[in-house]
Amino acid sequence: MMSINKRLGVESLLVTLLFTLGFMAWNVFQGMLMTLNHTPEMLNNDSSVTLLQSKVAFGSIARWDTTSILVAAVGFLLLAAAYYGLRSGIQRWTKRS
C-alpha cells in the first residue's frame, strides 16, 4: 500500500492555489492594459446611445450554481493530484539514481 506524503500534499494544494490565483491576476492585468490602451473612435459616430451599447461588450455575467462550483472544485483537485503525482514520481526517480 502506498502512503501519502502530507508535506507534498500541502505543497500540491498551495502550488495549485498559487497557479490559479496567478492565472486570474494575469487575466485582470491583461484587461487593465487593454482598457488603458483603448482609444475610442470619435469620428463618424452617431449620437445614438443604443448603437454604442450594442457595440460594446463589458464581459459576461458568471452564474455560480452548484454544477459550476463542483466542476471548478474537481478541476482544482485534479490539477493538485497531477502535481502531486508528478512530484512524487520525480522524487522516486531521483532516489533510484
Side-chain angles (χ1 to χ4, degrees), residues 23-64:
F23 181 74
M24 292 168 138
W26 175 247
N27 284 330
V28 168
F29 180 71
Q30 282 183 320
M32 290 170 61
L33 282 180
M34 287 176 15
T35 302
L36 286 173
N37 294 329
H38 176 71
T39 53
E41 183 181 319
M42 298 303 279
L43 300 175
N44 301 325
N45 274 344
D46 294 332
S47 61
S48 172
V49 176
T50 57
L51 179 66
L52 285 176
Q53 286 177 346
S54 65
K55 284 186 175 182
V56 179
F58 289 104
S60 61
I61 298 173
R63 305 260 188 245
W64 284 97

